[in-house]
Amino acid sequence: MKIGLRGGHSPNCKGAMGIIDEQAEVRKIYNEMVPMLQAAGHTVIDCNSNANSVVGELNDGTNKANANNCEMFVSIHMNAAGSPDANGSEVFLYNNGNAVMNQRATSICDKFAQKGFPNRGVKFNTAYHDLNASSMPAMIVETLFCTGIADVDRYRALGPKGIATLIVEGITGKVVSSAPVQLQQTPDSKKGSTATMVCFYRVTDLDKDKVYYFDGFTAHPLNHPDEKKVLNDIYKANNGKDMPEFLWTSKAPWFTRLQNAVERKPQFVIKK
Ligand SMILES: [Zn+2]
């Protein structure tokens, strides 16, 4: 699925300022969500904005989602209230007409509740820009209250990654693995389906835009975005989803581990 993802607000047009800064913290959650969604086989379209007005950042988000024909738009926020005792999570949808979105939203609320956040439930609102200006099913995830003492305590305990995990698991219906490398298997619909060990990866601290294609044996640097597109198109035609893409850093050189593992000679040969 192609997901338009927006970490609410812009560094130049902040959201709520509570005990913590909504915009800065939500951007951390966004950054954790992207590789989790990609590892689950989804494509993430960055719908963030650096605009310096509310209208500008709202339009940037939905325009990017619409222009990229995203299949779902997800806008991440933190709530705010005058009282430090207001706490909890809620998810807004445009209306209750989409059973799949209802289920995802309910699941997100349930997952937050399991971590102690009061469940404020799924709500419907046709007035919110993110919900009415997006041309695909959309949700606004109000993760927690940045003004709430108990919520912020829970946030600090879980960290942005913990919050990202709850949202991603709610959206995908799958458990997010904590393993750093998540290579995927083709849908197990028929007996004898084989594991596909191919992926894209980037080494973000060396060159965040340089994409490598790992064909199961060797990594190939790509020189043009269309090269990635054609490889992904073929993969998608065969597998029904995008090729997984991993973001690694040279400090934890998983690409080296991967290459070493596939190049090592087999040690045991099983004879029949
Ligand atoms: Zn907000």
Side-chain angles (χ1 to χ4, degrees):
M1 181 167 49
K2 192 189 269 190
I3 301 172
L5 186 61
R6 169 175 181 247
H9 310 285
S10 150
N12 302 310
C13 183
K14 291 283 198 174
M17 286 289 176
I19 303 166
I20 51 178
D21 173 337
E22 179 196 4
Q23 189 276 326
E25 298 305 319
V26 165
R27 197 58 62 94
K28 293 178 195 169
I29 296 168
Y30 170 95
N31 287 333
E32 296 288 351
M33 285 179 67
V34 173
M36 290 178 190
L37 288 167
Q38 289 172 335
H42 300 290
T43 300
V44 179
I45 300 298
D46 181 340
C47 294
N48 287 316
S49 170
N50 291 320
N52 49 24
S53 72
V54 172
V55 171
E57 55 113 349
L58 284 170
N59 283 332
D60 275 355
T62 48
N63 287 347
K64 287 178 187 178
N66 294 346
N68 285 283
N69 296 314
C70 291
E71 291 152 273
M72 177 169 61
F73 182 55
V74 179
S75 184
I76 309 295
H77 290 263
M78 287 182 180
N79 228 326
S83 163
D85 298 327
N87 292 285
S89 316
E90 61 199 13
V91 177
F92 282 93
L93 302 176
Y94 183 74
N95 61 28
N96 73 351
N98 186 320
V100 175
M101 291 300 284
N102 272 316
Q103 194 235 316
R104 288 173 181 148
T106 303
S107 177
I108 292 169
C109 290
D110 289 347
K111 288 188 180 290
F112 275 83
Q114 284 161 17
K115 297 294 179 187
F117 295 92
N119 190 342
R120 296 165 60 87
V122 180
K123 298 178 177 178
F124 306 103
N125 194 315
T126 56
Y128 289 144
H129 175 96
D130 280 337
L131 303 179
N132 65 34
S134 48
S135 46
M136 65 292 300
M139 64 166 72
I140 297 172
V141 183
E142 293 284 358
T143 53
L144 53 94
F145 279 77
C146 67
T147 47
I149 291 171
D151 268 8
V152 172
D153 280 349
R154 282 184 281 266
Y155 174 66
R156 287 180 173 147
L158 288 166
K161 190 170 192 173
I163 299 293
T165 301
L166 300 177
I167 305 168
V168 169
E169 290 188 346
I171 291 172
T172 63
K174 291 178 190 156
V175 174
V176 173
S177 165
S178 56
V181 180
Q182 300 169 357
L183 292 166
Q184 297 214 333
Q185 219 167 335
T186 49
D188 195 15
S189 54
K190 291 189 186 107
K191 267 192 178 173
S193 70
T194 53
T196 58
M197 296 297 286
V198 301
C199 67
F200 295 119
Y201 70 79
R202 285 181 273 154
V203 184
T204 53
D205 59 333
L206 298 182
D207 182 346
K208 70 179 171 55
D209 298 320
K210 186 76 179 173
V211 178
Y212 294 83
Y213 165 58
F214 181 74
D215 65 7
F217 303 96
T218 310
H220 307 274
L222 302 182
N223 290 332
H224 191 281
D226 282 352
E227 294 176 353
K228 181 184 178 193
K229 182 181 174 351
V230 70
L231 288 165
N232 191 59
D233 285 349
I234 294 167
Y235 180 91
K236 196 168 187 175
N238 285 322
N239 297 285
K241 60 189 173 188
D242 289 304
M243 192 184 303
E245 179 167 359
F246 297 92
L247 304 180
W248 292 326
T249 77
S250 60
K251 292 179 194 73
W254 297 110
F255 50 97
T256 311
R257 300 271 186 270
L258 180 62
Q259 202 63 50
N260 290 346
V262 297
E263 284 177 359
R264 196 164 301 123
K265 281 196 176 127
Q267 199 168 1
F268 304 105
V269 178
I270 299 166
K271 288 185 180 141
K272 288 194 176 171

